[in-house]
Amino acid sequence: MKLDILNTNGEKVKDLTLNKEIFGIEPNDKVLKDAIIVAQSSLRQGTAKTKNRSEVSGGGRKPWKQKGTGRARQGSIRAVQWVGGGIAFGPTPRSYSKKQNRKERRLALKSAWSYKASENAIVVVDAIKLETPKTKEMLKVLNNLKLNDTKTLVVVKEYDENLILASRNLQNIVVVLPSEISVLDLASTNKVLIESAALEEIKEALK
């Protein structure tokens, strides 16, 4: 597959041929789904916590004697059936993280990239350099590349302060480095705007 390398004005600079072993494989949907689940699970905090009867305050003595009152026997006013008592079988802090082996992670990334390539959702630019950290300048670049109305993953070789500041107010833009790209990033965005140097890093990492 061939792509045009553009400049930030949307003008063609030169041609680029994508590596079919990365951008042209038959996607493995099962591995791709597993990778997305792994990424989503790692985002869960797992900090939900309730107090059981040993952790709530009070209830140090038996509320009434065992027999002779006509009432049900009780050992503590902080048992689970009492108002203000402990919670039975409530959540406790835990990790939701899952694991996926290295070969599957690589295959999932290749599958995600192949889907993007088949959908013509990859836009390659020679470099993204902004003169000022203004949002309107970033919007101008996106408009030139016809990406202003779509959720876009911007992949750069290295972070530029002007780019970060200019794009942080745009809800449909996510800026990452090649080493930070996850399958979830690719699956949750409609287009990928990538610098040619960053694309070379991805080829080297996945070849």
Side-chain angles (χ1 to χ4, degrees):
M1 177 180 288
K2 288 189 176 181
L3 290 178
D4 295 336
I5 297 181
L6 310 174
N7 58 25
T8 51
N9 293 322
E11 302 164 341
K12 179 179 176 180
V13 177
K14 57 183 177 179
D15 291 323
L16 171 72
T17 301
L18 293 178
N19 187 335
K20 65 179 182 180
E21 294 180 358
I22 298 173
F23 300 94
I25 70 167
E26 180 68 30
N28 188 316
D29 291 337
K30 172 65 169 61
V31 172
L32 191 58
K33 179 183 177 182
D34 288 344
I36 292 173
I37 291 173
V38 168
Q40 289 176 328
S41 298
S42 68
L43 298 176
R44 298 185 66 178
Q45 288 186 321
T47 54
K49 173 72 170 73
T50 58
K51 292 183 178 181
N52 59 36
R53 62 181 292 173
S54 69
E55 295 171 318
V56 292
S57 61
R61 65 181 180 84
K62 191 172 175 68
W64 52 76
K65 63 182 184 177
Q66 181 82 348
K67 306 169 88 58
T69 64
R71 291 179 286 186
R73 52 195 172 187
Q74 301 291 335
S76 169
I77 62 170
R78 290 298 175 255
V80 296
Q81 72 271 19
W82 285 70
V83 174
I87 303 298
F89 310 114
T92 54
R94 54 164 293 189
S95 171
Y96 287 95
S97 62
K98 299 179 183 294
K99 292 184 178 180
Q100 189 177 35
N101 67 47
R102 184 171 176 268
K103 286 186 177 180
E104 286 181 324
R105 290 198 303 270
R106 289 169 63 87
L107 178 57
L109 274 172
K110 289 180 180 181
S111 297
W113 278 115
S114 294
Y115 267 125
K116 289 299 181 190
S118 66
E119 295 165 358
N120 295 318
I122 302 175
V123 179
V124 184
V125 292
D126 53 355
I128 305 174
K129 299 296 182 184
L130 304 181
E131 295 181 1
T132 62
K134 294 185 177 180
T135 302
K136 66 179 181 181
E137 189 170 346
M138 185 63 184
L139 285 172
K140 181 180 177 181
V141 171
L142 294 174
N143 190 54
N144 292 338
L145 299 170
K146 299 179 181 178
L147 297 173
N148 53 327
D149 293 325
T150 185
K151 190 168 185 181
T152 304
L153 180 69
V154 180
V155 187
V156 293
K157 181 171 173 38
E158 56 185 26
Y159 284 130
D160 176 74
E161 185 176 3
N162 285 349
L163 175 62
I164 297 298
L165 294 174
S167 60
R168 66 181 180 180
N169 286 334
L170 301 174
Q171 295 183 349
N172 62 325
I173 298 299
V174 180
V175 181
V176 296
L177 297 175
S179 59
E180 298 173 340
I181 298 174
S182 73
V183 172
L184 186 59
D185 290 328
L186 293 171
S188 59
T189 51
N190 300 321
K191 297 279 188 177
V192 179
L193 174 60
I194 183 169
E195 291 182 336
S196 56
L199 188 61
E200 290 300 319
E201 277 196 25
I202 292 169
K203 288 181 181 178
E204 288 296 318
L206 294 178
K207 71 178 182 178

